[in-house]
Amino acid sequence: MTNTEPRRRNRRGEGGKLREEIIAAAVALLDEGGDERAVTLRSVARKAGIAAPSIYAHFADQPSIMLAVVRQEMDALAAALREADEAAGRDSRARLFAVCNAYLDFARLHPQRYRIMFGGLWTPSAEDTSITDADLESLGLEAFTLLADVLGACVEEGIAHASEDLYGDAVALWLGLHGLAHQRAVVRKMPGPDDVGNRLIRALAHLK
């Protein structure tokens, strides 16, 4: 719902609060069923209850707002995976399944956010935006590192086949999870057995 109440101006020193409100407005626009095309400077300003020019004190353009949203959601994904990992205890197999299923659950619960986290129309060429390649390279690194760590723990424990390229195996596992998450988001009824997620994890992790 569009914010129609007059917005109280932030006090001096509350610029960080306004930045958070701009990000929250962009996330709300995504969650309402739209995509990144619904997130414009005007729509964000209207949602946040501010004048559009106020955004420029915090963001150079629309892609920079989207980058902030993606960073926030990547942090949320990493937090969800860490929580699942800690709850699983010390058993490496349980940790692997917990982390992988937490990844799939995050994608299922936040489909609009998940889609823009891994691409979409918000990343134009470097010539057209303030976003740089360096801004994009570290996105998702924390979540991926945790996935690689739990996979490596399974290898060290001897419950997964050893590989000379753990990084490559972790990439393959992530791509499998990402593919399943994407298919679940775009088809009305997912074909295959109910435990297809666990089958995928077992296969791509080379569990014994």
Side-chain angles (χ1 to χ4, degrees):
M1 180 178 297
T2 302
N3 186 357
T4 58
E5 292 295 324
R7 183 183 182 279
R8 180 186 67 81
R9 294 185 62 183
N10 288 327
R11 294 189 294 272
R12 186 181 299 275
E14 290 187 334
K17 181 179 179 182
L18 177 55
R19 186 179 190 279
E20 293 174 359
E21 291 173 353
I22 292 170
I23 296 171
V27 171
L29 289 168
L30 289 170
D31 286 346
E32 286 170 2
D35 57 25
E36 57 268 48
R37 288 170 294 188
V39 182
T40 66
L41 294 180
R42 287 186 177 182
S43 66
V44 170
R46 185 165 56 249
K47 192 72 173 175
I50 61 176
S54 300
I55 292 177
Y56 290 112
H58 303 277
F59 298 99
D61 48 24
Q62 187 266 5
S64 64
I65 297 176
M66 296 304 300
L67 176 64
V69 170
V70 170
R71 282 175 171 162
Q72 174 180 281
E73 296 310 313
M74 286 292 189
D75 287 344
L77 172 61
L81 301 193
R82 284 198 307 272
E83 182 178 354
D85 184 31
E86 292 168 1
R90 296 185 177 182
D91 181 84
S92 297
R93 185 187 297 267
R95 291 176 62 203
L96 177 68
F97 278 97
V99 168
C100 290
N101 281 304
Y103 182 99
L104 294 172
D105 287 343
F106 184 93
R108 177 178 56 83
L109 293 171
H110 308 288
Q112 302 291 1
R113 304 183 198 184
Y114 180 81
R115 187 177 57 79
I116 64 104
M117 287 164 67
F118 295 101
L121 303 175
W122 73 273
T123 52
S125 65
E127 292 77 18
D128 300 328
T129 178
S130 62
I131 303 300
T132 67
D133 290 340
D135 291 325
L136 304 176
E137 287 172 356
S138 63
L139 291 176
L141 182 59
E142 184 178 356
F144 176 78
T145 299
L146 178 54
L147 182 65
D149 286 347
V150 295
L151 179 59
C154 288
V155 172
E156 290 180 6
E157 197 171 301
I159 61 175
H161 290 291
S163 170
E164 295 180 358
D165 184 12
L166 178 62
Y167 173 81
D169 289 344
V171 170
L173 176 58
W174 170 73
L175 286 173
L177 294 172
H178 178 64
L180 177 57
H182 173 75
Q183 282 302 108
R184 285 176 170 174
V186 299
V187 299
R188 178 170 298 183
K189 180 174 176 55
M190 185 71 189
D194 292 337
D195 66 342
V196 66
N198 285 341
R199 293 189 186 201
L200 179 78
I201 296 165
R202 282 194 295 270
L204 291 177
H206 306 292
L207 292 179
K208 297 180 180 178

